Amino acid sequence: MHYIILLKKVKKMNDVILIEDLTCYGGCSALIDIPILNEFGISFSFIPSLILSKHTGNKDIVKIDFNDSFKKIYLDILNNTKALFIGYMPQNINFTIFNDFIGDIYYDPAMADDGRFYSGFNDDFVNKIKPLIRKTKIITPNLTEARLITKKENIDDIFKEFKKLGSNMVVITGIEENGKIGVVAECNNTRINYFHEMVKGKFYGTGDMFKSVLFSLLYQNEELEEAIKKASLYVLSKIKKI
């Protein structure tokens, strides 16, 4: 009986497509995203953007991309999709496939951290994603990514540049201030700041966790300020359990 119910459910296309890498070792990316979207009751399909043997904090990573098949899979399951949740994308992806999408795009431009690009990423990738940025409902770069995308250092200048790029909802993560860590966001010229205590240590997957909770809440029509607070506290609570 349970199998019959399951088969009936999967006949209907899901509302959201999650596009993210699948990292085999390291506890991040889709392995974080999928349980959270299920927890929040999001009806979604999943397309792996590529497979990584380890998270990008390691060296000598084995990568398997689906560049030849990605577009075919995407178009095959796109029917009636209301939103795309996009995370880590390979450098060789053709971003023009998203040009005709008429739903909402939630984008976490995973490509850099700690002041530098991840291995294999550069300014060419930044130029490739700019048309996608123009179509986003929300973009969630960390501070390093925000600076590399906009070529600006100051927060005010960064938001001005994102506005020129066409993005009106920008959430910048990983900002440290007065011994705390948090988020500075701007939406339709309204600035939002949210900071909480900083827990010492290196915790991989926290960015994936934050963006998945945030995207889920916003998709369910939560206000941005409240969604940022809830997503931040969700991540903090998980870190404290480690």
Side-chain angles (χ1 to χ4, degrees), residues 178-192:
N178 299 322
K180 295 185 176 183
I181 190 166
V183 170
V184 178
E186 191 167 285
C187 179
N188 297 323
N189 298 317
T190 299
R191 187 71 58 89
I192 298 170

Side-chain angles (χ1 to χ4, degrees), residues 40-240:
F40 279 84
I42 304 295
S43 174
F44 71 97
S45 302
F46 168 55
I47 306 176
S49 55
L50 74 166
I51 294 177
L52 301 176
S53 59
K54 297 170 285 190
H55 62 66
T56 52
N58 291 281
K59 297 180 180 180
D60 302 322
I61 300 172
V62 178
K63 299 181 180 181
I64 302 174
D65 71 54
F66 302 97
N67 197 40
D68 293 337
S69 303
F70 182 89
K71 183 177 180 179
K72 294 178 182 178
I73 297 171
Y74 170 75
L75 293 175
D76 186 45
I77 66 173
L78 185 61
N79 187 37
N80 296 323
T81 297
K82 297 176 182 177
L84 304 178
F85 291 1
I86 303 176
Y88 187 103
M89 300 291 284
Q91 302 90 311
N92 60 351
I93 196 73
N94 184 359
F95 283 93
T96 61
I97 65 173
F98 304 120
N99 286 354
D100 296 328
F101 183 70
I102 58 175
D104 292 326
I105 296 177
Y106 302 67
Y107 182 34
D108 180 36
M111 61 177 178
D113 203 1
D114 297 326
R116 59 184 177 82
F117 283 111
Y118 294 146
S119 176
F121 288 87
N122 52 39
D123 286 330
D124 289 339
F125 184 80
V126 171
N127 291 329
K128 287 179 69 174
I129 67 174
K130 285 182 178 178
L132 178 62
I133 292 173
R134 192 172 297 113
K135 289 177 62 67
T136 59
K137 175 177 181 174
I138 181 172
I139 185 169
T140 58
N142 60 38
L143 184 57
T144 294
E145 290 159 348
R147 285 172 168 166
L148 290 170
I149 291 169
T150 63
K151 301 297 184 289
K152 304 294 183 183
E153 291 291 318
N154 177 272
I155 287 291
D156 291 335
D157 293 334
I158 288 173
F159 283 125
K160 288 178 183 177
E161 196 63 29
F162 268 114
K163 192 174 297 183
K164 291 178 183 178
L165 292 172
S167 186
N168 291 316
M169 190 185 298
V170 181
V171 177
I172 303 175
T173 63
I175 297 179
E176 299 180 16
E177 185 176 288
N178 299 322
K180 295 185 176 183
I181 190 166
V183 170
V184 178
E186 191 167 285
C187 179
N188 297 323
N189 298 317
T190 299
R191 187 71 58 89
I192 298 170
N193 299 284
Y194 185 77
F195 290 84
H196 58 71
E197 64 180 286
M198 186 186 302
V199 180
K200 293 182 179 180
K202 187 71 172 177
F203 304 98
Y204 293 105
T206 53
D208 299 308
M209 190 178 296
F210 175 84
K211 72 108 176 339
S212 293
V213 175
L214 182 70
F215 289 178
S216 296
L217 289 169
L218 291 174
Y219 181 73
Q220 296 171 334
N221 298 315
E222 185 74 77
E223 293 294 326
L224 179 61
E225 185 169 7
E226 189 65 19
I228 287 172
K229 179 180 179 180
K230 288 180 178 179
S232 299
L233 292 178
Y234 183 99
V235 175
L236 180 62
S237 69
K238 299 300 182 182
I239 290 175
K240 286 184 172 182

